[in-house]
């Protein structure tokens, strides 16, 4: 026989304890004191499975007065009791338990360590974060992955000072994780440590830092990101260009235009794809020059950006792009001429209707559809006899 409870009724007892979580607050206020006493006494039972059930039930009960007792049970000789006590403390979320849960990370059982990490993850507090960072060095990959996932979901700016301390952690994977988390928290307080991370020896850490700064959208990062455009790693440079576009500060126009001449294709594509976001006519001429780039992806990005900028200075270069050897570039050039909306582009588009590609001719007609001009109507009528059914349908839609 158990000291306090009949061992033969363990299953029934477990079911009864679980029912307490379904009671409304008034009912709990009435009986919680009595229930708490019963469960606390059960934590002292001579049978391990009774103590195990009692620990779980205290978590379901949700009464923070159980915190001290559950902390003591983290040293129970029974692994399942320690495991359930850690899980229960996570549900109670009493800050008094953080230190004890941190100590439980040294438990001999990986199961207990797992639930201690899960519990600490419920606290978005600096002290809990310190313990979770420590567990990242844990040999048990499963347990450390839980800490990793928990850190990824941090949102409380109060933990930034703790994260800042880890910017120079000797383990590369931790530094990379920290800068990613700082980006997700996304407050101005995260900018300083992220700028510091741009000096990291590891390219992956630097890349994570530029991505994080782009998410924060802080003008405070523009100078550092501009410097990152000179990084020796192409992915750092390319993502720095993207981040500068996301921030949208016009001080980035000149360095981004210079990045259009980078020796790496990814960097040039990145610069071309974001320059339009700055809405600055200084980008028009460099983008027009990029329409002659050796890489078709860069040329496509430049044509796309020029359409978004809607500046008539791009008309003649886009006219030339209508003869590009790459079909997608020709399509994008036609679409951009339609976006700019200058009547001078009508003749360029009409001439391009003779393109051998069905896709290009369709894009040409769609661009022409943005204009109201007699020459456009004549071209649309001509397209009613196109060999491609989809084009004939599109021209009919535009006419009628």
């Amino acid at each position: 026989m158990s000291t306090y409870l009949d061992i033969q009724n363990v299953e029934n007892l477990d079911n009864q304890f679980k029912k307490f979580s379904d009671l409304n607050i008034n009912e709990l206020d009435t009986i919680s004191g009595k229930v708490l006493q019963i469960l606390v006494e059960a934590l002292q039972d001579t049978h391990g499975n009774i103590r195990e059930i009692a620990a779980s039930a205290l978590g379901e009960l949700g009464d923070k007065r159980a915190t001290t007792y559950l902390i003591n049970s983290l040293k129970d000789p029974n692994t399942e009791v320690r495991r359930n006590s850690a899980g229960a403390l996570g549900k109670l979320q009493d800050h008094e338990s953080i230190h004890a849960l941190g100590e439980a990370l040294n438990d001999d059982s990986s199961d207990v360590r797992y639930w201690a990490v899960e519990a600490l993850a419920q606290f978005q507090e600096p002290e809990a974060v310190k313990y979770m960072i420590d567990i990242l060095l844990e040999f048990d990959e499963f347990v450390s992955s839980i800490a990793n996932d928990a850190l990824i979901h941090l949102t409380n700016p109060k933990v930034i000072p703790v994260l800042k301390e880890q910017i120079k952690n000797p383990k590369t994977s931790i530094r990379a994780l920290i800068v990613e988390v700082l980006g997700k928290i996304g407050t101005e307080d995260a900018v300083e440590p992220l700028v510091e991370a741009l000096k990291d020896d590891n390219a992956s850490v630097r890349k994570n830092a530029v991505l994080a700064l782009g998410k924060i959208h802080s003008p405070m990062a523009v100078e550092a990101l501009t410097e990152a455009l000179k990084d020796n790693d192409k992915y750092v440079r390319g993502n720095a260009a993207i981040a500068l576009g996301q921030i949208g500060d016009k001080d980035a126009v000149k360095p981004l235009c210079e990045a259009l001449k980078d020796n790496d294709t990814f960097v040039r594509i990145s610069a071309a794809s974001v320059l339009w976001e700055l809405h600055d006519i200084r980008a028009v001429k460099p983008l027009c020059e990029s329409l002659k780039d050796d890489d078709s992806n860069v040329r496509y990005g430049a044509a796309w950006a020029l359409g978004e900028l809607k500046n008539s200075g791009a008309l003649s270069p886009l006219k030339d792009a209508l003869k590009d050897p790459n079909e997608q570039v020709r399509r994008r050039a036609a679409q951009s001429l339609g976006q700019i909306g200058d009547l001078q582009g009508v003749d360029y588009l009409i001439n391009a209707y003779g393109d051998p590609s069905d896709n290009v001719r369709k894009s040409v007609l769609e661009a022409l559809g943005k204009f109201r001009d007699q020459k456009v109507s004549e071209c649309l009528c001509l397209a009613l006899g196109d060999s491609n059914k989809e084009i004939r349908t599109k021209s009919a839609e535009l006419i009628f």
Side-chain angles (χ1 to χ4, degrees):
M1 295 288 291
S2 163
T3 306
Y4 296 102
L5 299 165
D6 187 347
I7 187 63
Q8 306 228 344
N9 291 320
V10 168
E11 296 301 328
N12 290 334
L13 181 64
D14 188 24
N15 291 332
Q16 290 300 313
F17 287 161
K18 288 178 179 178
K19 288 180 181 179
F20 290 128
S21 63
D22 296 327
L23 297 174
N24 64 44
I25 191 63
N26 292 327
E27 291 173 314
L28 281 175
D29 284 343
T30 303
I31 68 171
S32 63
K34 182 177 179 180
V35 174
L36 179 65
Q37 181 180 357
I38 293 171
L39 296 177
V40 168
E41 290 179 354
L43 274 180
Q44 307 302 316
D45 197 275
T46 56
H47 292 279
N49 48 358
I50 291 288
R51 301 197 303 278
E52 177 186 343
I53 293 170
S56 291
L58 283 167
E60 297 295 332
L61 187 63
D63 191 326
K64 290 188 178 182
R65 289 175 293 178
T67 298
T68 300
Y69 305 104
L70 287 167
I71 288 174
N72 292 335
S73 290
L74 288 174
K75 299 178 181 179
D76 193 283
N78 184 295
T79 299
E80 285 71 23
V81 175
R82 300 198 304 276
R83 175 197 66 195
N84 287 6
S85 296
L89 287 168
K91 291 180 179 179
L92 296 184
Q93 294 186 41
D94 189 328
H95 291 189
E96 295 299 319
S97 66
I98 292 178
H99 179 67
L101 287 167
E103 291 186 335
L105 296 175
N106 298 313
D107 196 280
D108 292 336
S109 167
S110 63
D111 205 20
V112 175
R113 296 197 299 274
Y114 167 86
W115 283 103
V117 172
E118 284 280 17
L120 285 168
Q122 307 304 313
F123 300 90
Q124 294 218 6
E125 296 293 333
E127 187 179 359
V129 170
K130 287 181 180 179
Y131 285 118
M132 286 191 287
I133 291 174
D134 288 341
I135 204 65
L136 292 177
L137 302 172
E138 168 69 44
F139 179 77
D140 185 333
E141 291 185 6
F142 179 62
V143 175
S144 61
S145 69
I146 300 302
N148 188 94
D149 291 344
L151 288 166
I152 284 290
H153 291 93
L154 287 174
T155 57
N156 188 353
K158 289 171 60 177
V159 306
I160 288 179
V162 175
L163 298 175
K164 184 177 179 180
E165 293 172 2
Q166 301 299 322
I167 284 294
K168 295 186 178 181
N169 190 293
K171 192 170 182 180
T172 301
S173 60
I174 292 180
R175 300 198 306 276
L177 172 64
I178 294 302
V179 297
E180 183 178 353
V181 175
L182 286 167
K184 288 191 174 183
I185 292 175
T187 62
E188 291 281 347
D189 291 342
V191 173
E192 181 184 348
L194 286 171
V195 167
E196 181 66 24
L198 291 176
K199 303 173 185 176
D200 196 278
D201 292 337
N202 184 273
S204 293
V205 175
R206 300 197 302 275
K207 184 188 76 171
N208 280 8
V210 296
L211 290 171
L213 287 167
K215 292 177 182 177
I216 295 176
H217 294 179
S218 173
M220 294 169 55
V222 171
E223 183 177 353
L225 287 170
T226 298
E227 190 64 28
L229 288 173
K230 303 173 186 176
D231 195 277
N232 58 18
D233 183 271
K234 64 181 181 179
Y235 295 110
V236 174
R237 299 197 304 277
N239 283 294
I242 293 171
L244 285 167
Q246 291 172 322
I247 293 172
D249 192 298
K250 289 186 181 294
D251 285 343
V253 172
K254 184 177 179 180
L256 283 173
C257 287
E258 292 173 355
L260 289 172
K261 300 176 183 178
D262 193 277
N263 59 11
D264 183 80
T265 302
F266 172 67
V267 180
R268 300 198 304 276
I269 292 172
S270 299
S273 66
V274 301
L275 267 169
W276 72 270
E277 297 184 59
L278 304 182
H279 304 289
D280 195 303
I281 61 172
R282 288 177 293 170
V284 173
K285 184 176 180 180
L287 284 168
C288 287
E289 293 174 357
S290 290
L291 288 174
K292 300 175 184 178
D293 194 279
D294 291 337
D295 189 275
S296 61
N297 290 309
V298 177
R299 300 197 301 273
Y300 178 92
W304 186 81
L306 288 167
E308 296 295 329
L309 286 172
K310 297 180 175 63
N311 187 278
S312 296
L315 289 174
S316 183
L318 286 171
K319 170 192 174 184
D320 294 337
L322 289 171
K323 299 176 183 178
D324 193 278
N326 183 276
E327 175 185 312
Q328 295 304 318
V329 176
R330 299 199 301 276
R331 288 190 67 189
R332 187 60 251 188
Q335 293 164 358
S336 292
L337 285 168
Q339 284 178 275
I340 293 173
D342 191 306
L343 283 173
Q344 186 179 338
V346 170
D347 288 336
Y348 303 156
L349 288 167
I350 290 175
N351 289 334
Y353 176 67
D355 196 282
S357 165
D358 291 345
N359 290 325
V360 174
R361 293 201 306 281
K362 182 182 176 184
S363 293
V364 166
L365 289 182
E366 290 172 342
L368 285 170
K370 298 178 182 295
F371 297 92
R372 293 292 176 264
D373 185 90
Q374 180 61 36
K375 289 183 290 188
V376 170
S377 299
E378 292 173 359
C379 185
L380 293 176
C381 289
L382 178 64
L384 290 173
D386 196 281
S387 59
N388 183 280
K389 180 180 178 180
E390 189 175 353
I391 292 177
R392 295 196 301 272
T393 301
K394 172 57 68 174
S395 61
E397 291 175 355
L398 293 171
I399 291 171
F400 302 109

